[in-house]
Amino acid sequence: MSTDISKALTTFIMEAEELTGEMEQLLLDNEGKNSYTDIEWLHEVFRAIHTIKGSAGLFGLEELVSFTHLLESLLERLREQDLDNDVTIMAMMIESTDVVKLHIDAIGSPYSDNLAAKTSELAKQILFYLPELDNENGTFEDAKQAKESSTDELSAVIPPQNGTWHISYHPHRHVYQDGLDPVSFIRYLSTLGELQSVHLIDEAMTSADSFDPETCYLGFEIRLNASVKRQAILDVFEFTLNDAELLIIPPDSEVSAYIELIHNLPESKQRLGEILVQVGALSQDELNRGLSIQKQLGTSHPPAPLIGSLLVDKQQIPSDIIKAAVNKQQPSIGVTKTLRVEADKLDQLIDQVGEMVITGARTNLLAHETGNEMLIEAMAQLERLVENIRDSSLQLRMVQIGDTFKKYKRVVRDIASELNKEVDLVITGAETELDKTFVEKLSDPLTHLMRNAMDHGIESREERVLAGKSPKGMIRLNAYHDSGSIVIEVSDDGKGINEGHILSTAKAKGLIASGSELASRDVQRLIFEPGFSTKKTVSDLSGRGVGMDVVKRNIEQLRGTIELDSELGVGSRFIIRLPLTLSIIDGFMFQVAGANYVIPLDNVVECLELKEITTQEAIRNKQFVDLRNETLPFMRLCDWFGIESTSSFHQEALVIVQFGSFRAGLVVDALSGEYQTVVKPLGPIFEGLKGVSGATILGSGEVAIILDIFALIQIILSQSDAGISERFT
């Protein structure tokens, strides 16, 4: 397979996966609706499957083409309201998207017996609703063979015709939106013989101001010298017959056939006539006589404004000329376009921007050392530009989380069916944007949380009715921004967490000592411990004691946190907090014992001189400070690091930090201020190091450690809880 074909096939696979996903969402959104008041979604599903079928035919994916043809026929009956879109048909269509996905995944591999069996079985179900396509055996393979055999018999009767064929191919305006490329059909046509000429007509566009890049304004008048049958030419355009005006005139046809062609097409008859005369299909006298007869009969259309021009003279032309004709320069018009970029290239860009930030900091430091005011001012302006480039680059990786959330409708539907429960998925905050890296790595954790909610949380229909709840359970996916973080919540209205049951299970499994007494918050955290499960039996969904610990570990690898808030009989809520990006952040830098440390600027509430709010005697050996009538826990970082402070009490500062609803103070030796921070991961040897999330390189070339605010706050709160306990013991 050539490189060009490989690239085209890769593009087809990507687009087919997107279209299949869109089909699945449309079907899920409209499942259970037995009304034709709004069937636009059916048209969208039809267009998606039609596009997949047409593109698959170009690559010779016959099995996929045959199956999608059946789906297309079924959808056509639904669109024409010959069938009711009942639960059975909708379930069958949803299952069909799975089979289409399997076909797409299998591209490049042999057609397996397993895939053939699944396809054939589902095709039988579809053929039940398509009696006009079914034969007496009623199998998918028999239907295919019957169609192929009838076509072969017909072709055997009609001999090929040798000479110059005239093909008039005028695609409909929407073909680009359906993913079809008219040029690909012409390229394929060239394999049947010699393309003598290709004339491009673009008279349908009235002015440059009305130009729409997603609309096809093109028509093609083609001369093909070949010894072929008419059916062979029709086969070339098989997947675009419903999306184009196609007229095939065999060699040595009568003049009336060409006059009929001029009459049937909406373009300027004079222009079409000129083309036919130039290629030798008609003489000028025959054209004039034919147009005169049409005019007398009153059948001519008013000519459209002429925009295009004759691109190719009557001669043999190479394929690159055809490609150039279609890819001709269009007027410069301000329209919004989407450009598909490989994720690896985007990551490389972000890495380069990060290096530019580090180099800019180094250059700025050197500029200040020179004392040259003009140079310092120029560097300040450069830093602002670098910051803008940084923000714009990071924005390229931001995507709305709604598309990811919608995929879980299928997860909820399938698991609810398996558990014989009724569950609705409610999505809010779909417009919230987050780094695409997070989207990809959040898939498994979110899937497990919803499976867990449906298996452990949502009660059966009978249990919910007895508890005075709606028979149908609800799972809510919510996303929003908060304190410089992305927050994703997975909540349910199920039975909640039975803390007594959790505590007894943890003791029985040896996860905690038998005499231990834990706070409510700590009891709920036990579900994240490896090996913990309250299920007595193992099922396909749960019971093995693995899952929630993996969820926590995956979230922490993204420098995020997960918390649980549950109320018995009311429901549970898992709260995931993630940083806005993993690459570059606005940081706040300070010093402890002469070393530099950085924390995210979004987590900083305020900074105070320690001497302004307390005395050295009052703060010694204490873990709390009074700040504007608020008792605030704090930590001396030099004590936590196990090093000696290089500053006196009068130089120390208190940095108030916040993560979610938690607030605490960090006592540091000196403040350095804001700093653009390029996050560098630590090596494997530092994995699991509590309180540290990464490192960054300063302009001076030194390394500064990036601290994990949530971990520090948790340490401070646990120390303060222990301190309170000691007071009352």
Side-chain angles (χ1 to χ4, degrees), residues 248-470:
I248 302 173
I249 301 178
D252 304 322
S253 293
E254 297 292 334
V255 172
S256 58
Y258 292 97
I259 298 300
E260 184 181 357
L261 166 64
I262 297 174
H263 167 64
N264 288 333
L265 293 177
E267 283 80 9
S268 165
K269 296 182 178 2
Q270 186 65 39
R271 188 56 181 159
L272 288 173
E274 291 174 3
I275 293 175
L276 294 175
V277 170
Q278 187 163 2
V279 300
L282 293 174
S283 68
Q284 186 64 51
D285 290 341
E286 290 171 332
L287 171 65
N288 293 339
R289 189 163 53 251
L291 291 178
S292 175
I293 293 172
Q294 280 190 1
K295 187 173 183 180
Q296 292 175 14
L297 295 175
T299 56
S300 62
H301 294 275
L306 183 59
I307 297 176
S309 60
L310 192 61
L311 297 182
V312 186
D313 292 329
K314 180 186 176 183
Q315 58 181 339
Q316 180 179 348
I317 57 173
S319 60
D320 59 334
I321 299 299
I322 299 174
K323 183 177 180 181
V326 177
N327 293 333
K328 68 189 185 74
Q329 187 73 26
Q330 293 289 356
S332 177
I333 300 175
V335 291
T336 302
K337 296 182 180 180
T338 301
L339 180 65
R340 189 188 299 274
V341 180
E342 294 178 9
D344 290 343
K345 292 182 178 179
L346 204 54
D347 291 339
Q348 291 175 8
L349 172 63
I350 301 298
D351 290 341
Q352 293 296 320
V353 171
E355 295 302 319
M356 185 168 64
V357 170
I358 294 173
T359 304
R362 172 64 175 163
T363 308
N364 187 50
L365 184 63
L366 294 174
H368 279 81
E369 289 179 356
T370 64
N372 188 318
E373 293 296 332
M374 294 183 64
L375 179 59
I376 293 173
E377 184 179 346
M379 276 308 305
Q381 184 177 1
L382 181 60
E383 275 197 321
R384 287 194 295 271
L385 292 174
V386 170
E387 186 174 345
N388 291 337
I389 294 173
R390 178 204 68 178
D391 294 340
S392 299
S393 301
L394 292 176
Q395 192 63 33
L396 293 175
R397 278 209 316 210
M398 302 298 282
V399 296
Q400 290 190 352
I401 202 171
D403 291 338
T404 301
F405 279 0
K406 288 179 181 178
K407 295 178 182 178
Y408 296 112
K409 288 186 176 181
R410 181 66 185 275
V411 175
V412 171
R413 174 188 180 273
D414 292 348
I415 297 177
S417 176
E418 182 180 344
L419 296 173
N420 196 25
K421 296 180 180 179
E422 294 184 38
V423 184
D424 273 342
L425 176 64
V426 178
I427 295 174
T428 54
E431 70 285 351
T432 304
E433 292 187 336
L434 76 166
D435 196 309
K436 183 172 175 60
T437 306
F438 292 143
V439 173
E440 297 167 350
K441 295 181 179 179
L442 277 173
S443 178
D444 288 344
L446 288 179
T447 299
H448 188 87
L449 288 176
M450 279 185 290
R451 290 164 66 99
N452 183 77
M454 298 180 71
D455 194 23
H456 291 277
I458 302 292
E459 309 94 332
S460 66
R461 180 186 180 92
E462 295 75 15
E463 290 174 326
R464 292 183 64 85
V465 171
L466 288 175
K469 296 182 179 181
S470 167

Side-chain angles (χ1 to χ4, degrees), residues 126-313:
I126 297 174
L127 283 169
F128 175 79
Y129 296 94
L130 302 172
E132 70 278 7
L133 296 182
D134 202 0
N135 61 359
E136 59 182 11
N137 295 325
T139 68
F140 182 49
E141 293 301 322
D142 290 340
K144 282 175 59 182
Q145 291 174 7
K147 178 184 175 185
E148 292 167 358
S149 134
S150 62
T151 302
D152 292 341
E153 290 174 3
L154 183 61
S155 298
V157 176
I158 303 175
Q161 290 179 268
N162 185 30
T164 302
W165 295 75
H166 188 91
I167 301 155
S168 180
Y169 172 46
H170 291 247
H172 293 165
R173 290 194 169 197
H174 60 77
V175 292
Y176 291 156
Q177 300 168 19
D178 289 344
L180 298 179
D181 180 7
V183 179
S184 61
F185 299 104
I186 298 175
R187 288 198 189 99
Y188 187 44
L189 182 68
S190 67
T191 63
L192 301 183
E194 175 188 2
L195 280 177
Q196 289 187 331
S197 63
V198 176
H199 288 79
L200 181 67
I201 302 173
D202 58 355
E203 294 189 354
M205 184 174 66
T206 57
S207 69
D209 293 336
S210 64
F211 176 74
D212 180 1
E214 294 185 354
T215 297
C216 179
Y217 302 99
L218 307 177
F220 302 88
E221 298 297 322
I222 307 165
R223 300 287 285 179
L224 173 70
N225 192 338
S227 177
V228 294
K229 301 177 182 180
R230 176 186 175 86
Q231 185 60 44
I233 298 176
L234 280 173
D235 289 343
V236 170
F237 297 95
E238 178 182 0
F239 299 108
T240 187
L241 289 178
N242 294 329
D243 303 287
E245 302 295 333
L246 181 69
L247 184 62
I248 302 173
I249 301 178
D252 304 322
S253 293
E254 297 292 334
V255 172
S256 58
Y258 292 97
I259 298 300
E260 184 181 357
L261 166 64
I262 297 174
H263 167 64
N264 288 333
L265 293 177
E267 283 80 9
S268 165
K269 296 182 178 2
Q270 186 65 39
R271 188 56 181 159
L272 288 173
E274 291 174 3
I275 293 175
L276 294 175
V277 170
Q278 187 163 2
V279 300
L282 293 174
S283 68
Q284 186 64 51
D285 290 341
E286 290 171 332
L287 171 65
N288 293 339
R289 189 163 53 251
L291 291 178
S292 175
I293 293 172
Q294 280 190 1
K295 187 173 183 180
Q296 292 175 14
L297 295 175
T299 56
S300 62
H301 294 275
L306 183 59
I307 297 176
S309 60
L310 192 61
L311 297 182
V312 186
D313 292 329

Side-chain angles (χ1 to χ4, degrees), residues 546-596:
V546 294
M548 295 305 292
D549 61 317
V550 176
V551 168
K552 182 182 179 184
R553 185 165 63 250
N554 289 343
I555 297 298
E556 289 177 344
Q557 286 176 353
L558 296 174
R559 300 208 329 268
T561 63
I562 181 168
E563 304 171 52
L564 171 61
D565 180 20
S566 180
E567 184 177 348
L568 188 63
V570 177
S572 301
R573 181 170 59 115
F574 289 91
I575 307 163
I576 299 172
R577 288 185 177 272
L578 298 168
L580 289 176
T581 179
L582 290 174
S583 305
I584 307 172
I585 62 173
D586 286 321
F588 183 80
M589 189 163 62
F590 50 78
Q591 291 185 338
V592 177
N596 293 300

Side-chain angles (χ1 to χ4, degrees), residues 616-630:
Q616 187 171 0
E617 291 74 17
I619 202 171
R620 185 178 291 120
N621 299 324
K622 290 188 178 181
Q623 297 170 326
F624 298 90
V625 65
D626 292 327
L627 180 63
R628 292 188 288 273
N629 297 323
E630 177 186 3

Side-chain angles (χ1 to χ4, degrees), residues 456 505 509 511 529 531-536 542-546:
H456 291 277
T505 302
K509 292 180 177 292
L511 297 176
E529 292 296 322
F532 183 86
S533 176
T534 56
K535 275 276 189 177
K536 295 181 180 179
S542 60
R544 295 180 174 83
V546 294

